Amino acid sequence: MFLKNQWLTIVLVFSSIAMFSQSKKNTIVPKTYVASKTSNPILIDGDESDISWNKADWTALFEDIENNIKPKYATKVKMLWDETNFYILAKIEEPHVWANLKQRDTIIFYNNDFEVFIDPDGDTFNYYELEINALNTAWDLFLSKPYRENDNVVLNDWNIPGLKSAVKINGTLNNPNDTDEGWVLEMAIPWASYKKSYNEYNVPADKFWRVNFSRVNWQHTIVNGKYERKKDADGKFLPEYNWVWSPMGVINMHEPEKWGYVYFSSKEEKDTFTIPQDEKVKWELYNLYRAQKEYYQNNKVWAKALTDLTKETIKVDGKVLKPILENHSSGYNIMVKSPFSNQTFTIKEDGQFLK
C-alpha cells in the first residue's frame, strides 16, 4: 500500500535518519568488497563457524556515518553468494543486547538494529532497505526514489519473499544484570526478490551492485528492570549513533550514489575489483545535481549556467569533464561525455540517471 497514514509517513521521512540533510561536494570514496561465489550450502542459523564463512573476508570495521569519530562498539560484515541468494553475516559488538519490537514492518530502528541497503542497477531509483533487530524482527521497504524527492513512493508492505535470517546472542537478551559480547546476524536474501519482471535473470555474476550497511545504536536506561531508549532532561530521546560500512559524510543513508560497491565474483578463490572510471564520472554528475538542488532552494529557480554551480574545473583521474547544462520547462538535464568510454551520461532534475 502507499503510506497514507500521517504518523507513519512522518516516521519514514526520518527513517535512517535525517533524510533531508543534503551533503555538498562528495569527497568520500565508497568502500568496495568482493563477494565470492560459494558452492557449499550455508545454514542460516546465526553461527559464523560455517565452513563457507571461513573462506570470506571481513569488511573493515564500520565507521561513523558522518565523520571520523571511531564508533564505541565494533561492527563488521562478510558476504557470499550463489545462484539463489545473497548471503550476509554481520558481527555486532554490544555489551547490552536488547530488543522489544516483535511485529514485522514496525519501526525497527527504535531498537538497536542492523540495516541493509541495496540498489541493483545503481541509478538511485527503485532501491531496497531491510532492518533487523536482535529479536530477528524484520522491516523491509521498497523506495521508488530517495527521500530528497518529494514525489517518491515508499512501499512499507513490500516484503522480501523467501528471506531467511537468524540471530545468535553471545550473552543474554534483555538482561541488564550481565555484560554481553554482542550478537551475530546471518541472512540469505533471494535474488528473485529484486526481479523487475518474471523472466528476468538478475543474478549479478561478475557484476557489482551498490550496497551499504548501517547500524543504529541508542543510549539506554533501565526502567523497572527493562531497557529503554534514554531521554534528556526535557523528555526527548537522545540522538542515536549511526555506524556504517561506507561513510556518507552526512547523517543520511538515502544518498544511494555514495553507497559501497559489492562485486559478485564467480570465482570461489580470491578476486579483485576496481571501481570503474565511469562510476567516478557519475559521482561528479551527482555533485552537480546536489549543487542544483541547493541553488534552487536558495533562489527558487534552477541555475542556467554551470558556473552558477561550480567555479572549479571538474576532473576525473586527470581527465577534464565538460558537462552541458540544458534547462527546460519542468527542470533541467546535465549531460557529460565520459573521456574513458565515450558514453554520454545524463542526470535529470529529480536525480534520475540516464545513459
Side-chain angles (χ1 to χ4, degrees), residues 316-329:
V316 171
D317 291 350
K319 299 286 188 179
V320 175
L321 302 186
K322 299 179 180 179
I324 298 172
L325 171 59
E326 293 182 347
N327 291 72
H328 51 78
S329 59

Side-chain angles (χ1 to χ4, degrees), residues 74-317:
T75 315
K76 55 186 178 180
V77 169
K78 289 184 177 184
M79 290 169 264
L80 290 167
W81 70 281
D82 60 20
E83 291 293 325
T84 305
N85 295 310
F86 179 19
Y87 299 101
I88 299 168
L89 180 76
K91 191 169 186 178
I92 302 161
E93 181 185 28
E94 175 58 71
H96 295 279
V97 182
W98 67 275
N100 56 20
L101 299 175
K102 300 178 181 180
Q103 180 179 341
R104 189 180 181 120
D105 289 338
T106 192
I107 306 166
I108 296 300
F109 69 81
Y110 283 174
N111 284 172
N112 295 340
D113 75 354
F114 184 84
E115 305 179 357
V116 182
F117 298 83
I118 294 179
D119 182 6
D121 59 10
D123 68 351
T124 76
F125 277 34
N126 302 321
Y127 64 92
Y128 308 86
E129 178 178 354
L130 170 64
E131 303 184 10
I132 297 181
N133 66 5
L135 281 168
N136 197 29
T137 307
W139 183 21
D140 33 16
L141 308 93
F142 168 84
L143 297 94
S144 65
K145 300 179 184 181
Y147 288 97
R148 61 195 173 199
E149 299 303 325
N150 294 328
D151 61 342
N152 74 322
V153 174
V154 181
L155 298 182
N156 186 54
D157 62 344
W158 175 82
N159 290 330
I160 299 175
L163 171 68
K164 295 181 181 179
S165 63
V167 170
K168 181 179 179 181
I169 308 295
N170 294 319
T172 53
L173 180 66
N174 292 328
N175 184 355
N177 298 316
D178 64 2
T179 300
D180 309 311
E181 293 182 17
W183 50 295
V184 176
L185 170 61
E186 187 176 27
M187 65 186 83
I189 305 176
W191 302 119
S193 62
Y194 300 130
K195 281 187 175 183
K196 297 185 292 294
S197 62
Y198 180 79
N199 291 318
E200 180 189 14
Y201 178 79
N202 68 333
V203 179
D206 298 318
K207 298 179 181 178
F208 65 81
W209 281 10
R210 303 302 299 275
V211 176
N212 211 348
F213 304 104
S214 172
R215 172 184 174 181
V216 171
N217 192 269
W218 297 89
Q219 297 183 58
H220 68 267
T221 187
I222 308 298
V223 178
N224 297 324
K226 295 181 179 180
Y227 290 98
E228 292 186 1
R229 288 182 291 159
K230 195 170 185 177
K231 297 179 180 179
D232 62 18
D234 297 323
K236 297 180 180 180
F237 290 114
L238 295 176
E240 76 289 348
Y241 296 106
N242 296 276
W243 301 326
V244 303
W245 170 49
S246 194
M248 304 293 291
V250 64
I251 306 176
N252 181 1
M253 284 302 295
H254 292 268
E255 293 188 351
E257 67 273 15
K258 295 181 181 178
W259 294 349
Y261 291 81
V262 176
Y263 179 75
F264 298 95
S265 173
S266 59
K267 300 178 181 179
E268 294 199 26
E269 64 272 15
K270 301 296 182 183
D271 202 354
T272 59
F273 169 73
T274 301
I275 297 174
Q277 290 170 309
D278 276 359
E279 288 297 301
K280 301 176 184 180
V281 174
K282 295 177 185 178
W283 300 347
E284 296 299 336
L285 278 178
Y286 282 112
N287 285 334
L288 292 172
Y289 156 79
R290 284 191 289 272
Q292 263 283 39
K293 213 166 186 61
E294 183 175 359
Y295 186 94
Y296 187 89
Q297 290 171 349
N298 293 332
N299 300 281
K300 308 308 177 187
V301 294
W302 298 114
K304 295 181 179 180
L306 284 169
T307 52
D308 292 330
L309 304 180
T310 180
K311 306 296 184 183
E312 301 177 3
T313 300
I314 302 174
K315 292 184 179 181
V316 171
D317 291 350

Side-chain angles (χ1 to χ4, degrees), residues 61-64 67-73 243:
L61 295 180
F62 282 25
E63 302 177 31
D64 186 87
N67 51 49
N68 295 321
I69 298 175
K70 182 180 178 180
K72 190 173 183 179
Y73 306 124
W243 301 326

